[in-house]
Amino acid sequence: MLVRHFSRPLLRLSSAAHITNRALSSQASLQTLRTILDHHVIGQDDTKEAFLLALLSREHVYVEGPPGVAKTMISEIVSVATDLDYWFTQFHRDTRLNDLIGEAVIVRTQVPQVGEQIKHDVIPGGILTTEIAVLDDISRAPGEALNVMLRILQERRYGDMTENRIPLMTAIATGNPVDEEGYYGDPLDPATLDRFTLQVRCRGLISEESWDSAGDVIDLYSRPRPLGEDLGIRSINREEIIAASECVPLVIFPESCKRALLSLLQVLRTRHLCDETTSLLTDRTFLVKAVTVMKAQAVVAGRDTCAPCDLRVLRYLTTFRVPGHVHEMIDEIIRKVVEEEEERMRREEEEEEEKKKKEKENGEEKE
């Protein structure tokens, strides 16, 4: 496999105008990628958006849903459209660690004054050499393989073999709804789920009774076509996607967004009783990674600065981290928090304008 490493330097801090231009340039490519996804996959808007945000923020995403709802297909389309290296594995009870990281070999070396030394080594492969990893049926992964994989996802390296960070941009893990009758697997514990920053629960179009979209799927696949016809997935410049992800750390996160984020967490804790006994609101996820995901949303919108409205994407962080009834209300909860912050910003702007007006009047009186 040809392994591409990100050898070119990351973008350096530059002027706001330069960052804005890069963000606007990236926005066009991201819109094209979303158009490609919409053309090949009907519905599943949340899954598409969460995956694009994960790709830009270089975070990982967990998608739970029944078979046949395009969980894996979306990642395949993204990899083909962007020419990013793609690796797929389907977990089962006998999955070995070397199935994930590469082939195990025995290496014989001659050590001066010691003699022959024999040790185990690994020829890097799998998750160590890819840019997009799809971890299918992760709930079936045996403990040893799962624990090592989670550590690789977190640290982006494996032992002494990868002194530099591995090229992985994002991993998308899929699982069946094991809490529902008819699906096999062990539910992932909250700590394991927390390794996947973005989380989505998806359903099929029939289950959601989305009959218009269901009809569009029939139209898409019922037309006459040759056997084995290629999907005809359009491609975009992979460098544009990488550049877009490099824009994310440069996005400005203003005080208004900080207040909105803290206000949301306070509302979840005090009004909806999301404490340690019912929820998993960790500092790592909601004080660090949440900021990155909000910055990614700003890049999607072609902005160099976050806005309180970007708080909306935190709906993908609460899926399995708060009680179900709270997550069902999360869009409305976030909307109210954003409205309160935007109203505060309007008052501050009016007060600032009034202050400048008075200063100008006082200056004219002195003259």
Side-chain angles (χ1 to χ4, degrees):
M1 174 186 294
L2 176 62
V3 182
R4 299 187 179 94
H5 295 281
F6 303 129
S7 56
R8 63 189 182 93
L10 295 178
L11 295 174
R12 295 183 178 180
L13 292 177
S14 184
S15 65
H18 175 71
I19 299 172
T20 301
N21 290 336
R22 293 303 298 265
L24 290 172
S25 175
S26 301
Q27 182 190 29
S29 296
L30 295 172
Q31 288 178 341
T32 299
L33 181 56
R34 180 57 192 264
T35 300
I36 294 171
L37 285 171
D38 289 339
H39 176 74
H40 293 282
V41 178
I42 308 298
Q44 304 302 345
D45 291 340
D46 286 352
T47 305
K48 296 172 188 174
E49 183 176 38
F51 191 86
L52 290 179
L53 290 171
L55 188 63
L56 290 184
S57 60
R58 303 200 179 198
E59 297 293 346
H60 307 308
V61 58
Y62 173 74
V63 182
E64 182 181 283
V69 293
K71 302 189 299 291
T72 304
M73 185 179 182
I74 291 174
S75 61
E76 292 176 341
I77 292 173
V78 170
S79 67
V80 172
T82 59
D83 196 30
L84 293 170
D85 289 326
Y86 170 84
W87 175 73
F88 171 90
T89 187
Q90 185 167 30
F91 284 100
H92 50 81
R93 292 305 180 192
D94 296 323
T95 297
R96 300 175 300 114
L97 176 59
N98 291 111
D99 295 333
L100 308 177
I101 64 174
E103 184 179 353
V105 294
I106 297 177
V107 179
R108 298 174 183 268
T109 57
Q110 292 294 329
V111 180
Q113 300 179 349
V114 175
E116 186 178 58
Q117 185 179 69
I118 301 175
K119 64 177 182 179
H120 290 279
D121 204 350
V122 174
I123 300 175
I127 200 168
L128 301 184
T129 59
T130 191
E131 292 168 319
I132 298 178
V134 178
L135 313 172
D136 200 32
D137 282 343
I138 192 174
S139 61
R140 300 189 181 190
E144 178 187 3
L146 178 62
N147 291 335
V148 175
M149 185 201 64
L150 292 175
R151 184 172 180 178
I152 294 172
L153 294 181
Q154 182 69 25
E155 299 178 358
R156 308 292 177 117
R157 53 174 52 90
Y158 176 71
D160 297 332
M161 294 167 38
T162 52
E163 296 179 1
N164 299 320
R165 290 167 66 88
I166 61 178
L168 181 68
M169 293 185 67
T170 186
I172 176 169
T174 69
N176 292 324
V178 295
D179 56 342
E180 297 182 14
E181 186 177 353
Y183 296 102
Y184 173 76
D186 296 326
L188 297 176
D189 62 87
T192 297
L193 279 174
D194 194 51
R195 300 297 183 97
F196 298 91
T197 302
L198 295 99
Q199 304 170 347
V200 181
R201 179 184 281 115
C202 62
R203 300 174 61 195
L205 299 177
I206 297 175
S207 298
E208 293 182 336
E209 299 186 355
S210 300
W211 303 121
D212 289 341
S213 295
D216 291 339
V217 172
I218 294 175
D219 292 339
L220 180 63
Y221 288 96
S222 62
R223 63 176 178 81
R225 56 182 176 178
L227 181 65
E229 179 188 33
D230 187 85
L231 289 177
I233 299 174
R234 294 167 53 195
S235 61
I236 58 178
N237 189 343
R238 71 188 305 275
E239 294 299 320
E240 285 294 328
I241 298 300
I242 295 174
S245 71
E246 291 175 351
C247 281
V248 171
L250 304 178
V251 172
I252 299 169
F253 196 79
E255 188 70 20
S256 59
C257 292
K258 174 183 172 182
R259 290 195 302 259
L261 175 56
L262 292 175
S263 177
L264 173 63
L265 295 174
Q266 291 170 0
V267 168
L268 291 175
R269 292 274 301 183
T270 59
R271 299 183 191 175
H272 299 280
L273 306 179
C274 294
D275 57 21
E276 288 74 13
T277 63
T278 63
S279 308
L280 191 63
L281 304 180
T282 64
D283 292 353
R284 176 181 62 190
T285 298
F286 286 92
L287 301 183
V288 179
K289 295 183 180 295
V291 172
T292 303
V293 176
M294 289 177 66
K295 287 186 173 187
Q297 173 58 27
V299 172
V300 171
R303 290 185 271 108
D304 65 350
T305 303
C306 273
C309 61
D310 294 326
L311 195 71
R312 178 188 65 83
V313 297
L314 264 64
R315 67 195 300 268
Y316 300 122
L317 274 64
T318 61
T319 308
F320 299 105
R321 293 185 174 99
V322 301
H325 70 279
V326 177
H327 179 68
E328 290 178 358
M329 300 184 295
I330 196 64
D331 289 336
E332 180 65 16
I333 294 172
I334 292 176
R335 184 187 65 79
K336 291 181 179 179
V337 169
V338 171
E339 286 181 351
E340 291 174 1
E341 181 55 37
E342 290 177 341
E343 177 61 27
R344 176 174 176 171
M345 292 171 62
R346 280 192 292 270
R347 291 198 304 268
E348 290 179 348
E349 289 176 359
E350 291 173 357
E351 291 172 358
E352 184 65 24
E353 290 178 0
E354 185 66 24
K355 181 180 177 180
K356 291 180 179 179
K357 182 179 179 181
K358 289 182 178 180
E359 290 177 350
K360 182 178 180 180
E361 291 174 353
N362 293 335
E364 292 175 350
E365 289 177 359
K366 290 180 180 180
E367 293 177 358

